Amino acid sequence: MLRPRLQSPTNSEESQLELVSATTQLFDPATLLSDNREEFKDSAIIAVFDPDELSFELGVWLAGLETFLTRGDQTYSDKTRPTEAAGNWTRECRLTRAALLNSSKLNFRLRKAVAGPIPSEGDKSGGGSVTTDELDAFALVLRDAIVLNESVLGTNKNLNFADWRAWSSMLVEKLESSPVFRTLISRTHAAGESFLPDKLKVLMTERPIPFADEVDLQVILPRFGTILGSLSIVGKMLRHDEPLKPSLIIFSRVHELTHDLIEHMNNRLSRFPNEEEAMFNSLDGASYTASLELKKVFSQELTGLVGIRPVPSVFARVETAFELLSDSFRQILAGFAQVVDPLTLPTDLFPNFQTKLDQSLALRQNLWQALQVVKAAEQNPDKKLLEAVNKEMREFLERTIPFLFHKDRETVERFAEEIFATSEKKDIVPILHRFGAYIETLLAQVNMRTVLADHPFNPQGN
């Protein structure tokens, strides 16, 4: 995957958000509703979009924006901010602008992709259908919100918490004024089942299971599908090398959905009649795993991200958060599938799991081999052992480093550069000691990957 912006660490996410603002002007509702059709036709991008995908993505952005505006300061507990009153909330306001611009673009594309009512799965859950006239009206709502957002940013260079809360309340109220807002959010819930693996849906229809278990799965599985679908939007942003700070809007929604799902599973566990049943164990494991990963991601990886400027650092954190949540939720779905069919494997549901498993096994084994070589050279830094370290590092950089998260690759590469550039024994020993300690920590982190849950570490093999 090409990541050209990672080659320019001086570029900040703020500057990239400004670029998003400029390039998204094409999709401004004011342009869409302009009477100058010829001028608009010259600048329009001709493309074919799937209305269902567009409505889901738009609904996720709108739902995330609502959550970010109402609960964002609780979701991302930034301890570096001195006090709520003294903090600068301008960056959060810029994120709302990015979300509004994305929503305006998606609303424009959705309006162009349909010629009438959108076929709606949301009818089952009260989602209803959306007409082109309603989308046109919603375009005006988004346009006004964007103009107000620009005005807030233009008149206040340093927003305090009171300013931020006032702006948040006003924006939520404005969005709620349009029925399309709530309809599109409701449709994201109804679309959750479409993000479940086909194999899992087949199992649910073909395998006989107890009625109570079936009811539990019919409630829980689509919710996990909605979460995975929301995360897939972040994955697309990573693949397309888009500015990643706006993904905090979507992560806010993921946090809310997962937290509510954990509460539902815990309430179900408290009333479960038989703690020996497979469904109880699956619910218990799912609740524990989701809680653990949620805390890991939102208390470590994403905390303070809004204030980080270097693009590589932002990319590394978002990539890690995305991978941790996606893998753990897929593993949870595999656990529920085993309630229906105990012989089902995660790789049966998610074929890419096998690739990740093979990569993680190779990474763990190669890290262990590198650790042994580094420790041996640290104890006796003679020429032969130091050459072995250099050889091991070169092979690791060539074969295995792509299997690491981005944030770990840079650290390994820096250690490798130090080792290659140092020839004096008295200088190389402290470097090897620090590198060995780092590998031990990294090995422990890799061993905690979800795909390795059923593969305990064996130094003699994998």
mmCIF file of all heavy atoms in Angstrom, residues 414-459:
data_model
loop_
_atom_site.group_PDB
_atom_site.id
_atom_site.type_symbol
_atom_site.label_atom_id
_atom_site.label_comp_id
_atom_site.label_asym_id
_atom_site.label_seq_id
_atom_site.Cartn_x
_atom_site.Cartn_y
_atom_site.Cartn_z
ATOM 1 N N ARG A 414 15.107 2.112 13.796
ATOM 2 C CA ARG A 414 16.088 2.992 14.461
ATOM 3 C C ARG A 414 17.132 2.174 15.209
ATOM 4 O O ARG A 414 18.331 2.489 15.172
ATOM 5 C CB ARG A 414 15.369 3.948 15.419
ATOM 6 C CG ARG A 414 14.662 5.102 14.727
ATOM 7 C CD ARG A 414 14.360 6.222 15.698
ATOM 8 N NE ARG A 414 13.493 5.787 16.792
ATOM 9 C CZ ARG A 414 12.173 5.868 16.745
ATOM 10 N NH1 ARG A 414 11.566 6.360 15.682
ATOM 11 N NH2 ARG A 414 11.446 5.465 17.773
ATOM 12 N N PHE A 415 16.691 1.130 15.905
ATOM 13 C CA PHE A 415 17.656 0.250 16.593
ATOM 14 C C PHE A 415 18.600 -0.395 15.582
ATOM 15 O O PHE A 415 19.810 -0.498 15.811
ATOM 16 C CB PHE A 415 16.917 -0.820 17.389
ATOM 17 C CG PHE A 415 16.584 -0.424 18.798
ATOM 18 C CD1 PHE A 415 15.269 -0.325 19.210
ATOM 19 C CD2 PHE A 415 17.594 -0.156 19.713
ATOM 20 C CE1 PHE A 415 14.952 0.043 20.520
ATOM 21 C CE2 PHE A 415 17.295 0.206 21.024
ATOM 22 C CZ PHE A 415 15.966 0.314 21.421
ATOM 23 N N ALA A 416 18.039 -0.842 14.444
ATOM 24 C CA ALA A 416 18.871 -1.485 13.418
ATOM 25 C C ALA A 416 19.922 -0.513 12.886
ATOM 26 O O ALA A 416 21.095 -0.886 12.695
ATOM 27 C CB ALA A 416 17.995 -2.002 12.284
ATOM 28 N N GLU A 417 19.539 0.737 12.661
ATOM 29 C CA GLU A 417 20.490 1.734 12.170
ATOM 30 C C GLU A 417 21.622 1.950 13.175
ATOM 31 O O GLU A 417 22.796 2.070 12.800
ATOM 32 C CB GLU A 417 19.770 3.048 11.893
ATOM 33 C CG GLU A 417 18.851 2.995 10.671
ATOM 34 C CD GLU A 417 18.021 4.252 10.525
ATOM 35 O OE1 GLU A 417 18.179 5.161 11.384
ATOM 36 O OE2 GLU A 417 17.221 4.340 9.567
ATOM 37 N N GLU A 418 21.257 2.017 14.475
ATOM 38 C CA GLU A 418 22.284 2.183 15.504
ATOM 39 C C GLU A 418 23.246 1.003 15.521
ATOM 40 O O GLU A 418 24.463 1.168 15.629
ATOM 41 C CB GLU A 418 21.630 2.344 16.884
ATOM 42 C CG GLU A 418 21.003 3.687 17.144
ATOM 43 C CD GLU A 418 20.585 3.825 18.607
ATOM 44 O OE1 GLU A 418 21.453 4.082 19.468
ATOM 45 O OE2 GLU A 418 19.380 3.645 18.878
ATOM 46 N N ILE A 419 22.700 -0.203 15.422
ATOM 47 C CA ILE A 419 23.542 -1.410 15.474
ATOM 48 C C ILE A 419 24.467 -1.463 14.268
ATOM 49 O O ILE A 419 25.664 -1.748 14.390
ATOM 50 C CB ILE A 419 22.651 -2.669 15.557
ATOM 51 C CG1 ILE A 419 21.926 -2.706 16.911
ATOM 52 C CG2 ILE A 419 23.486 -3.933 15.369
ATOM 53 C CD1 ILE A 419 20.873 -3.796 17.015
ATOM 54 N N PHE A 420 23.931 -1.176 13.082
ATOM 55 C CA PHE A 420 24.760 -1.214 11.863
ATOM 56 C C PHE A 420 25.870 -0.157 11.886
ATOM 57 O O PHE A 420 26.957 -0.385 11.347
ATOM 58 C CB PHE A 420 23.891 -1.006 10.617
ATOM 59 C CG PHE A 420 22.886 -2.099 10.380
ATOM 60 C CD1 PHE A 420 21.690 -1.848 9.711
ATOM 61 C CD2 PHE A 420 23.120 -3.402 10.823
ATOM 62 C CE1 PHE A 420 20.770 -2.852 9.483
ATOM 63 C CE2 PHE A 420 22.204 -4.409 10.597
ATOM 64 C CZ PHE A 420 21.019 -4.136 9.928
ATOM 65 N N ALA A 421 25.582 0.981 12.537
ATOM 66 C CA ALA A 421 26.536 2.094 12.505
ATOM 67 C C ALA A 421 27.565 2.037 13.622
ATOM 68 O O ALA A 421 28.516 2.819 13.621
ATOM 69 C CB ALA A 421 25.783 3.423 12.570
ATOM 70 N N THR A 422 27.400 1.127 14.586
ATOM 71 C CA THR A 422 28.294 1.069 15.752
ATOM 72 C C THR A 422 29.228 -0.128 15.621
ATOM 73 O O THR A 422 28.775 -1.261 15.420
ATOM 74 C CB THR A 422 27.482 0.963 17.056
ATOM 75 O OG1 THR A 422 26.537 2.040 17.102
ATOM 76 C CG2 THR A 422 28.395 1.041 18.264
ATOM 77 N N SER A 423 30.499 0.150 15.772
ATOM 78 C CA SER A 423 31.488 -0.928 15.648
ATOM 79 C C SER A 423 32.258 -1.166 16.938
ATOM 80 O O SER A 423 32.787 -2.260 17.157
ATOM 81 C CB SER A 423 32.473 -0.615 14.515
ATOM 82 O OG SER A 423 33.104 0.642 14.736
ATOM 83 N N GLU A 424 32.321 -0.174 17.808
ATOM 84 C CA GLU A 424 33.055 -0.310 19.062
ATOM 85 C C GLU A 424 32.281 -1.168 20.059
ATOM 86 O O GLU A 424 31.082 -0.958 20.274
ATOM 87 C CB GLU A 424 33.321 1.065 19.667
ATOM 88 C CG GLU A 424 34.236 1.951 18.837
ATOM 89 C CD GLU A 424 35.655 1.422 18.786
ATOM 90 O OE1 GLU A 424 36.063 0.732 19.742
ATOM 91 O OE2 GLU A 424 36.343 1.689 17.777
ATOM 92 N N LYS A 425 32.983 -2.118 20.691
ATOM 93 C CA LYS A 425 32.322 -3.022 21.636
ATOM 94 C C LYS A 425 31.715 -2.268 22.813
ATOM 95 O O LYS A 425 30.609 -2.569 23.256
ATOM 96 C CB LYS A 425 33.313 -4.066 22.145
ATOM 97 C CG LYS A 425 33.762 -5.067 21.091
ATOM 98 C CD LYS A 425 34.677 -6.119 21.699
ATOM 99 C CE LYS A 425 35.110 -7.142 20.649
ATOM 100 N NZ LYS A 425 35.978 -8.186 21.230
ATOM 101 N N LYS A 426 32.435 -1.291 23.338
ATOM 102 C CA LYS A 426 31.938 -0.561 24.516
ATOM 103 C C LYS A 426 30.680 0.257 24.194
ATOM 104 O O LYS A 426 29.884 0.566 25.092
ATOM 105 C CB LYS A 426 33.028 0.357 25.069
ATOM 106 C CG LYS A 426 33.481 1.454 24.119
ATOM 107 C CD LYS A 426 34.590 2.281 24.748
ATOM 108 C CE LYS A 426 35.055 3.398 23.800
ATOM 109 N NZ LYS A 426 33.999 4.361 23.530
ATOM 110 N N ASP A 427 30.492 0.600 22.915
ATOM 111 C CA ASP A 427 29.303 1.354 22.519
ATOM 112 C C ASP A 427 28.139 0.449 22.137
ATOM 113 O O ASP A 427 26.979 0.816 22.325
ATOM 114 C CB ASP A 427 29.636 2.268 21.329
ATOM 115 C CG ASP A 427 30.682 3.317 21.678
ATOM 116 O OD1 ASP A 427 30.697 3.759 22.841
ATOM 117 O OD2 ASP A 427 31.483 3.679 20.788
ATOM 118 N N ILE A 428 28.449 -0.737 21.603
ATOM 119 C CA ILE A 428 27.394 -1.613 21.097
ATOM 120 C C ILE A 428 26.654 -2.332 22.215
ATOM 121 O O ILE A 428 25.458 -2.615 22.095
ATOM 122 C CB ILE A 428 27.977 -2.642 20.096
ATOM 123 C CG1 ILE A 428 26.838 -3.330 19.296
ATOM 124 C CG2 ILE A 428 28.801 -3.703 20.813
ATOM 125 C CD1 ILE A 428 26.115 -2.414 18.364
ATOM 126 N N VAL A 429 27.326 -2.606 23.335
ATOM 127 C CA VAL A 429 26.695 -3.368 24.422
ATOM 128 C C VAL A 429 25.467 -2.653 24.987
ATOM 129 O O VAL A 429 24.396 -3.271 25.145
ATOM 130 C CB VAL A 429 27.715 -3.706 25.519
ATOM 131 C CG1 VAL A 429 27.003 -4.295 26.749
ATOM 132 C CG2 VAL A 429 28.747 -4.702 24.999
ATOM 133 N N PRO A 430 25.543 -1.336 25.328
ATOM 134 C CA PRO A 430 24.322 -0.659 25.829
ATOM 135 C C PRO A 430 23.189 -0.663 24.800
ATOM 136 O O PRO A 430 22.013 -0.779 25.174
ATOM 137 C CB PRO A 430 24.811 0.767 26.112
ATOM 138 C CG PRO A 430 26.284 0.653 26.285
ATOM 139 C CD PRO A 430 26.699 -0.443 25.358
ATOM 140 N N ILE A 431 23.533 -0.541 23.516
ATOM 141 C CA ILE A 431 22.489 -0.560 22.481
ATOM 142 C C ILE A 431 21.815 -1.923 22.437
ATOM 143 O O ILE A 431 20.581 -2.031 22.367
ATOM 144 C CB ILE A 431 23.098 -0.213 21.109
ATOM 145 C CG1 ILE A 431 23.660 1.211 21.119
ATOM 146 C CG2 ILE A 431 22.058 -0.359 20.002
ATOM 147 C CD1 ILE A 431 24.403 1.577 19.844
ATOM 148 N N LEU A 432 22.622 -2.982 22.499
ATOM 149 C CA LEU A 432 22.063 -4.335 22.482
ATOM 150 C C LEU A 432 21.197 -4.594 23.709
ATOM 151 O O LEU A 432 20.169 -5.283 23.625
ATOM 152 C CB LEU A 432 23.186 -5.369 22.399
ATOM 153 C CG LEU A 432 23.996 -5.389 21.091
ATOM 154 C CD1 LEU A 432 25.160 -6.384 21.207
ATOM 155 C CD2 LEU A 432 23.104 -5.741 19.909
ATOM 156 N N HIS A 433 21.618 -4.048 24.852
ATOM 157 C CA HIS A 433 20.830 -4.234 26.077
ATOM 158 C C HIS A 433 19.454 -3.574 25.936
ATOM 159 O O HIS A 433 18.426 -4.181 26.269
ATOM 160 C CB HIS A 433 21.579 -3.640 27.273
ATOM 161 C CG HIS A 433 20.814 -3.744 28.555
ATOM 162 N ND1 HIS A 433 20.667 -4.929 29.235
ATOM 163 C CD2 HIS A 433 20.122 -2.799 29.272
ATOM 164 C CE1 HIS A 433 19.941 -4.724 30.322
ATOM 165 N NE2 HIS A 433 19.602 -3.439 30.366
ATOM 166 N N ARG A 434 19.434 -2.339 25.438
ATOM 167 C CA ARG A 434 18.161 -1.637 25.253
ATOM 168 C C ARG A 434 17.304 -2.333 24.202
ATOM 169 O O ARG A 434 16.083 -2.465 24.360
ATOM 170 C CB ARG A 434 18.409 -0.189 24.841
ATOM 171 C CG ARG A 434 18.941 0.683 25.968
ATOM 172 C CD ARG A 434 19.031 2.150 25.583
ATOM 173 N NE ARG A 434 20.073 2.420 24.622
ATOM 174 C CZ ARG A 434 19.855 2.773 23.367
ATOM 175 N NH1 ARG A 434 18.621 2.874 22.910
ATOM 176 N NH2 ARG A 434 20.870 2.997 22.540
ATOM 177 N N PHE A 435 17.943 -2.795 23.131
ATOM 178 C CA PHE A 435 17.198 -3.470 22.070
ATOM 179 C C PHE A 435 16.611 -4.789 22.558
ATOM 180 O O PHE A 435 15.472 -5.142 22.247
ATOM 181 C CB PHE A 435 18.102 -3.698 20.870
ATOM 182 C CG PHE A 435 17.389 -4.204 19.656
ATOM 183 C CD1 PHE A 435 16.132 -3.716 19.313
ATOM 184 C CD2 PHE A 435 17.970 -5.179 18.842
ATOM 185 C CE1 PHE A 435 15.465 -4.184 18.181
ATOM 186 C CE2 PHE A 435 17.301 -5.649 17.714
ATOM 187 C CZ PHE A 435 16.059 -5.154 17.390
ATOM 188 N N GLY A 436 17.385 -5.524 23.366
ATOM 189 C CA GLY A 436 16.875 -6.778 23.917
ATOM 190 C C GLY A 436 15.672 -6.554 24.802
ATOM 191 O O GLY A 436 14.678 -7.308 24.739
ATOM 192 N N ALA A 437 15.716 -5.502 25.626
ATOM 193 C CA ALA A 437 14.569 -5.184 26.489
ATOM 194 C C ALA A 437 13.349 -4.809 25.651
ATOM 195 O O ALA A 437 12.210 -5.194 25.968
ATOM 196 C CB ALA A 437 14.932 -4.049 27.440
ATOM 197 N N TYR A 438 13.602 -4.073 24.569
ATOM 198 C CA TYR A 438 12.488 -3.685 23.697
ATOM 199 C C TYR A 438 11.875 -4.911 23.015
ATOM 200 O O TYR A 438 10.646 -5.029 22.917
ATOM 201 C CB TYR A 438 12.969 -2.685 22.649
ATOM 202 C CG TYR A 438 11.903 -2.317 21.650
ATOM 203 C CD1 TYR A 438 10.881 -1.443 21.994
ATOM 204 C CD2 TYR A 438 11.904 -2.871 20.362
ATOM 205 C CE1 TYR A 438 9.887 -1.114 21.092
ATOM 206 C CE2 TYR A 438 10.912 -2.551 19.453
ATOM 207 C CZ TYR A 438 9.910 -1.669 19.826
ATOM 208 O OH TYR A 438 8.921 -1.349 18.931
ATOM 209 N N ILE A 439 12.715 -5.826 22.536
ATOM 210 C CA ILE A 439 12.192 -7.025 21.875
ATOM 211 C C ILE A 439 11.345 -7.851 22.843
ATOM 212 O O ILE A 439 10.299 -8.399 22.463
ATOM 213 C CB ILE A 439 13.346 -7.887 21.308
ATOM 214 C CG1 ILE A 439 14.066 -7.157 20.179
ATOM 215 C CG2 ILE A 439 12.818 -9.213 20.777
ATOM 216 C CD1 ILE A 439 15.243 -7.927 19.611
ATOM 217 N N GLU A 440 11.775 -7.948 24.099
ATOM 218 C CA GLU A 440 10.996 -8.699 25.087
ATOM 219 C C GLU A 440 9.605 -8.091 25.255
ATOM 220 O O GLU A 440 8.598 -8.809 25.314
ATOM 221 C CB GLU A 440 11.742 -8.728 26.413
ATOM 222 C CG GLU A 440 12.975 -9.628 26.409
ATOM 223 C CD GLU A 440 13.677 -9.643 27.759
ATOM 224 O OE1 GLU A 440 13.484 -8.677 28.533
ATOM 225 O OE2 GLU A 440 14.399 -10.614 28.033
ATOM 226 N N THR A 441 9.562 -6.762 25.339
ATOM 227 C CA THR A 441 8.269 -6.085 25.468
ATOM 228 C C THR A 441 7.423 -6.296 24.214
ATOM 229 O O THR A 441 6.223 -6.584 24.292
ATOM 230 C CB THR A 441 8.472 -4.579 25.704
ATOM 231 O OG1 THR A 441 9.278 -4.385 26.865
ATOM 232 C CG2 THR A 441 7.148 -3.869 25.887
ATOM 233 N N LEU A 442 8.055 -6.153 23.053
ATOM 234 C CA LEU A 442 7.339 -6.319 21.793
ATOM 235 C C LEU A 442 6.842 -7.749 21.630
ATOM 236 O O LEU A 442 5.723 -7.991 21.158
ATOM 237 C CB LEU A 442 8.257 -5.938 20.632
ATOM 238 C CG LEU A 442 7.654 -5.917 19.227
ATOM 239 C CD1 LEU A 442 6.460 -4.981 19.172
ATOM 240 C CD2 LEU A 442 8.708 -5.494 18.216
ATOM 241 N N LEU A 443 7.648 -8.714 22.038
ATOM 242 C CA LEU A 443 7.251 -10.114 21.953
ATOM 243 C C LEU A 443 6.020 -10.384 22.811
ATOM 244 O O LEU A 443 5.105 -11.115 22.404
ATOM 245 C CB LEU A 443 8.411 -11.007 22.402
ATOM 246 C CG LEU A 443 8.269 -12.519 22.220
ATOM 247 C CD1 LEU A 443 8.043 -12.873 20.757
ATOM 248 C CD2 LEU A 443 9.495 -13.237 22.759
ATOM 249 N N ALA A 444 5.985 -9.765 23.990
ATOM 250 C CA ALA A 444 4.808 -9.935 24.858
ATOM 251 C C ALA A 444 3.567 -9.329 24.216
ATOM 252 O O ALA A 444 2.472 -9.907 24.296
ATOM 253 C CB ALA A 444 5.076 -9.286 26.211
ATOM 254 N N GLN A 445 3.722 -8.172 23.565
ATOM 255 C CA GLN A 445 2.580 -7.538 22.905
ATOM 256 C C GLN A 445 2.081 -8.371 21.729
ATOM 257 O O GLN A 445 0.873 -8.543 21.540
ATOM 258 C CB GLN A 445 2.985 -6.133 22.425
ATOM 259 C CG GLN A 445 3.254 -5.137 23.543
ATOM 260 C CD GLN A 445 2.007 -4.819 24.347
ATOM 261 O OE1 GLN A 445 0.904 -4.743 23.809
ATOM 262 N NE2 GLN A 445 2.182 -4.658 25.644
ATOM 263 N N VAL A 446 3.002 -8.889 20.944
ATOM 264 C CA VAL A 446 2.611 -9.723 19.797
ATOM 265 C C VAL A 446 1.895 -10.979 20.277
ATOM 266 O O VAL A 446 0.910 -11.419 19.678
ATOM 267 C CB VAL A 446 3.852 -10.080 18.952
ATOM 268 C CG1 VAL A 446 3.507 -11.147 17.904
ATOM 269 C CG2 VAL A 446 4.417 -8.835 18.278
ATOM 270 N N ASN A 447 2.376 -11.546 21.365
ATOM 271 C CA ASN A 447 1.777 -12.773 21.885
ATOM 272 C C ASN A 447 0.355 -12.552 22.387
ATOM 273 O O ASN A 447 -0.393 -13.516 22.573
ATOM 274 C CB ASN A 447 2.643 -13.338 23.005
ATOM 275 C CG ASN A 447 2.480 -14.835 23.152
ATOM 276 O OD1 ASN A 447 2.340 -15.557 22.173
ATOM 277 N ND2 ASN A 447 2.481 -15.308 24.385
ATOM 278 N N MET A 448 -0.025 -11.270 22.602
ATOM 279 C CA MET A 448 -1.381 -10.951 23.055
ATOM 280 C C MET A 448 -2.341 -10.725 21.893
ATOM 281 O O MET A 448 -3.520 -10.438 22.125
ATOM 282 C CB MET A 448 -1.338 -9.700 23.942
ATOM 283 C CG MET A 448 -0.633 -9.906 25.274
ATOM 284 S SD MET A 448 -0.378 -8.351 26.185
ATOM 285 C CE MET A 448 -2.077 -7.808 26.388
ATOM 286 N N ARG A 449 -1.864 -10.845 20.668
ATOM 287 C CA ARG A 449 -2.757 -10.653 19.519
ATOM 288 C C ARG A 449 -3.897 -11.661 19.551
ATOM 289 O O ARG A 449 -3.701 -12.830 19.900
ATOM 290 C CB ARG A 449 -1.984 -10.784 18.206
ATOM 291 C CG ARG A 449 -1.032 -9.622 17.936
ATOM 292 C CD ARG A 449 -0.434 -9.711 16.547
ATOM 293 N NE ARG A 449 0.438 -8.580 16.251
ATOM 294 C CZ ARG A 449 1.026 -8.373 15.077
ATOM 295 N NH1 ARG A 449 0.844 -9.242 14.087
ATOM 296 N NH2 ARG A 449 1.794 -7.320 14.894
ATOM 297 N N THR A 450 -5.065 -11.203 19.149
ATOM 298 C CA THR A 450 -6.250 -12.044 19.207
ATOM 299 C C THR A 450 -6.108 -13.309 18.375
ATOM 300 O O THR A 450 -6.565 -14.383 18.778
ATOM 301 C CB THR A 450 -7.478 -11.239 18.717
ATOM 302 O OG1 THR A 450 -7.558 -10.017 19.458
ATOM 303 C CG2 THR A 450 -8.744 -12.026 18.921
ATOM 304 N N VAL A 451 -5.455 -13.209 17.225
ATOM 305 C CA VAL A 451 -5.347 -14.375 16.341
ATOM 306 C C VAL A 451 -4.468 -15.467 16.940
ATOM 307 O O VAL A 451 -4.513 -16.615 16.497
ATOM 308 C CB VAL A 451 -4.784 -13.969 14.966
ATOM 309 C CG1 VAL A 451 -5.775 -13.088 14.232
ATOM 310 C CG2 VAL A 451 -3.438 -13.282 15.101
ATOM 311 N N LEU A 452 -3.670 -15.108 17.952
ATOM 312 C CA LEU A 452 -2.793 -16.093 18.594
ATOM 313 C C LEU A 452 -3.384 -16.662 19.886
ATOM 314 O O LEU A 452 -2.698 -17.366 20.618
ATOM 315 C CB LEU A 452 -1.432 -15.456 18.900
ATOM 316 C CG LEU A 452 -0.605 -15.000 17.691
ATOM 317 C CD1 LEU A 452 0.651 -14.273 18.151
ATOM 318 C CD2 LEU A 452 -0.241 -16.185 16.814
ATOM 319 N N ALA A 453 -4.658 -16.351 20.137
ATOM 320 C CA ALA A 453 -5.270 -16.777 21.396
ATOM 321 C C ALA A 453 -5.226 -18.289 21.587
ATOM 322 O O ALA A 453 -5.049 -18.781 22.701
ATOM 323 C CB ALA A 453 -6.716 -16.282 21.458
ATOM 324 N N ASP A 454 -5.362 -19.050 20.497
ATOM 325 C CA ASP A 454 -5.362 -20.509 20.583
ATOM 326 C C ASP A 454 -4.024 -21.122 20.186
ATOM 327 O O ASP A 454 -3.941 -22.317 19.884
ATOM 328 C CB ASP A 454 -6.463 -21.083 19.680
ATOM 329 C CG ASP A 454 -7.850 -20.630 20.110
ATOM 330 O OD1 ASP A 454 -8.059 -20.476 21.331
ATOM 331 O OD2 ASP A 454 -8.705 -20.423 19.236
ATOM 332 N N HIS A 455 -2.978 -20.292 20.194
ATOM 333 C CA HIS A 455 -1.653 -20.769 19.791
ATOM 334 C C HIS A 455 -0.611 -20.335 20.821
ATOM 335 O O HIS A 455 0.099 -19.341 20.621
ATOM 336 C CB HIS A 455 -1.284 -20.231 18.402
ATOM 337 C CG HIS A 455 -2.209 -20.662 17.313
ATOM 338 N ND1 HIS A 455 -2.003 -21.795 16.566
ATOM 339 C CD2 HIS A 455 -3.376 -20.116 16.862
ATOM 340 C CE1 HIS A 455 -2.990 -21.931 15.691
ATOM 341 N NE2 HIS A 455 -3.821 -20.928 15.847
ATOM 342 N N PRO A 456 -0.545 -21.052 21.937
ATOM 343 C CA PRO A 456 0.452 -20.698 22.962
ATOM 344 C C PRO A 456 1.864 -20.770 22.402
ATOM 345 O O PRO A 456 2.163 -21.580 21.515
ATOM 346 C CB PRO A 456 0.221 -21.746 24.054
ATOM 347 C CG PRO A 456 -0.489 -22.874 23.387
ATOM 348 C CD PRO A 456 -1.314 -22.260 22.302
ATOM 349 N N PHE A 457 2.724 -19.914 22.922
ATOM 350 C CA PHE A 457 4.077 -19.777 22.382
ATOM 351 C C PHE A 457 4.939 -20.963 22.770
ATOM 352 O O PHE A 457 5.031 -21.330 23.939
ATOM 353 C CB PHE A 457 4.702 -18.487 22.885
ATOM 354 C CG PHE A 457 6.069 -18.229 22.326
ATOM 355 C CD1 PHE A 457 6.342 -18.425 20.989
ATOM 356 C CD2 PHE A 457 7.089 -17.771 23.153
ATOM 357 C CE1 PHE A 457 7.604 -18.186 20.466
ATOM 358 C CE2 PHE A 457 8.356 -17.521 22.647
ATOM 359 C CZ PHE A 457 8.610 -17.728 21.297
ATOM 360 N N ASN A 458 5.595 -21.552 21.761
ATOM 361 C CA ASN A 458 6.541 -22.622 21.962
ATOM 362 C C ASN A 458 7.851 -22.199 21.330
ATOM 363 O O ASN A 458 7.985 -22.175 20.100
ATOM 364 C CB ASN A 458 6.046 -23.924 21.319
ATOM 365 C CG ASN A 458 7.068 -25.048 21.436
ATOM 366 O OD1 ASN A 458 8.032 -24.960 22.211
ATOM 367 N ND2 ASN A 458 6.861 -26.122 20.671
ATOM 368 N N PRO A 459 8.871 -21.817 22.149
ATOM 369 C CA PRO A 459 10.147 -21.316 21.587
ATOM 370 C C PRO A 459 10.805 -22.290 20.633
ATOM 371 O O PRO A 459 11.569 -21.872 19.752
ATOM 372 C CB PRO A 459 10.992 -21.093 22.833
ATOM 373 C CG PRO A 459 10.040 -20.929 23.947
ATOM 374 C CD PRO A 459 8.867 -21.798 23.613
#
